[in-house]
Amino acid sequence: MKNFHPKNILVLGGGGARGLAHIGVLEVFEQEGIKFDAIIGTSMGAIVGGYYSQNGSLNGLIKKAKEYIKNSAFLNSKIKFFVEKESKNSLNRMINFLKQEYVVSKLVNKKYLVGGEKLNKAISNFIADDDLENFKIFFVPVSVDLHTGKPIGIEKGSAIKAIRASASIPGVFEPVYWDNMELVDGGVISTIPVHIAMRYRPKTIIAVSVDK
């Protein structure tokens, strides 16, 4: 929206499982009565930010997250690995996982490990598949076009598709094909997409990083 200039923008970065910390941050903002005209997010920040923007509050999000983590479909999926609670052995587990899956994927000549439908289903546990333009708070999930390397902020279209694009880790999840672009996780360029927020020339930008 070229003529849309929100006064206050909240930017939520990526960070895998640590991205769930955005929920706590949003809780504090709610308690303090701090509101935003727009929210921009990437990866886990896009999922949490998307839920908040669509509903206008955090009501029900924690319950949904707990129910999903206990769901058998989640427990039996590869997605579980990427959102598990971190431990001292998390790096070793990731290396071993990727080694095993890489060998298998090479044998069947695949470019990714997890198909788009699985990630769609995971996201749909939190986000209703409405058009982004219908969200209560203006919301922009950020991804990257593999062909050009340019960050892409999506303002309209399928919410689930746009958020999946923002969370599709290259080589792990299937890219999203959108208007002749091949979109993947926005964290490839920047885990905190402040550069996208600046395009709207807001008065205030509050950025939340959970990457470290």
Side-chain angles (χ1 to χ4, degrees):
M1 293 186 179
K2 295 181 179 179
N3 298 320
F4 178 59
H5 301 298
K7 182 178 179 181
N8 302 312
I9 293 183
L10 174 64
V11 180
L12 302 177
R18 293 188 298 274
L20 292 173
H22 290 313
I23 297 175
V25 173
L26 286 169
E27 281 184 318
V28 173
F29 287 142
E30 280 193 344
Q31 292 168 6
E32 296 299 322
I34 299 174
K35 298 182 179 181
F36 298 92
D37 303 308
I39 296 177
I40 294 175
T42 193
S43 197
M44 188 63 81
I47 295 175
V48 175
Y51 182 93
Y52 190 83
S53 299
Q54 187 172 55
N55 296 279
S57 74
L58 287 174
N59 289 339
L61 178 55
I62 295 176
K63 180 180 179 182
K64 280 179 175 289
K66 289 181 178 179
E67 289 176 348
Y68 177 62
I69 290 173
K70 294 178 181 179
N71 186 287
S72 60
F74 169 75
L75 295 174
N76 295 327
S77 73
K78 294 186 182 75
I79 294 174
K80 173 180 181 292
F81 178 88
F82 296 95
V83 294
E84 282 183 319
K85 182 178 180 181
E86 293 187 358
S87 69
K88 293 181 180 179
N89 297 319
S90 61
L91 179 58
N92 291 331
R93 287 190 292 104
M94 179 173 283
I95 291 173
N96 291 332
F97 174 86
L98 291 177
K99 281 182 179 178
Q100 293 169 12
E101 294 293 336
Y102 178 76
V103 171
V104 173
S105 67
K106 290 294 286 185
L107 289 176
V108 294
N109 195 33
K110 291 177 63 176
K111 295 181 180 180
Y112 50 84
L113 307 179
V114 182
E117 274 305 306
K118 290 186 177 181
L119 192 51
N120 274 346
K121 289 181 179 179
I123 294 171
S124 66
N125 279 275
F126 305 97
I127 308 293
D129 195 14
D130 197 359
D131 193 289
L132 288 170
E133 291 180 295
N134 295 327
F135 277 27
K136 293 182 178 179
I137 300 173
F138 181 73
F139 176 63
V140 181
V142 179
S143 56
V144 174
D145 180 10
L146 282 176
H147 298 295
T148 64
K150 294 182 178 179
I152 304 296
I154 302 175
E155 298 181 348
K156 58 184 178 179
S158 166
I160 290 181
K161 185 176 180 181
I163 291 172
R164 176 164 78 85
S166 181
S168 292
I169 303 170
V172 177
F173 297 114
E174 180 182 5
V176 171
Y177 301 93
W178 189 306
D179 292 339
N180 297 317
M181 296 183 292
E182 194 168 353
L183 304 180
V184 296
D185 194 320
V188 170
I189 298 296
S190 174
T191 56
I192 314 173
V194 173
H195 53 293
I196 298 295
M198 293 177 67
R199 294 178 181 178
Y200 298 96
R201 294 181 289 171
K203 180 178 180 181
T204 305
I205 295 176
I206 295 179
V208 182
S209 172
V210 296
D211 196 40
K212 293 182 180 180

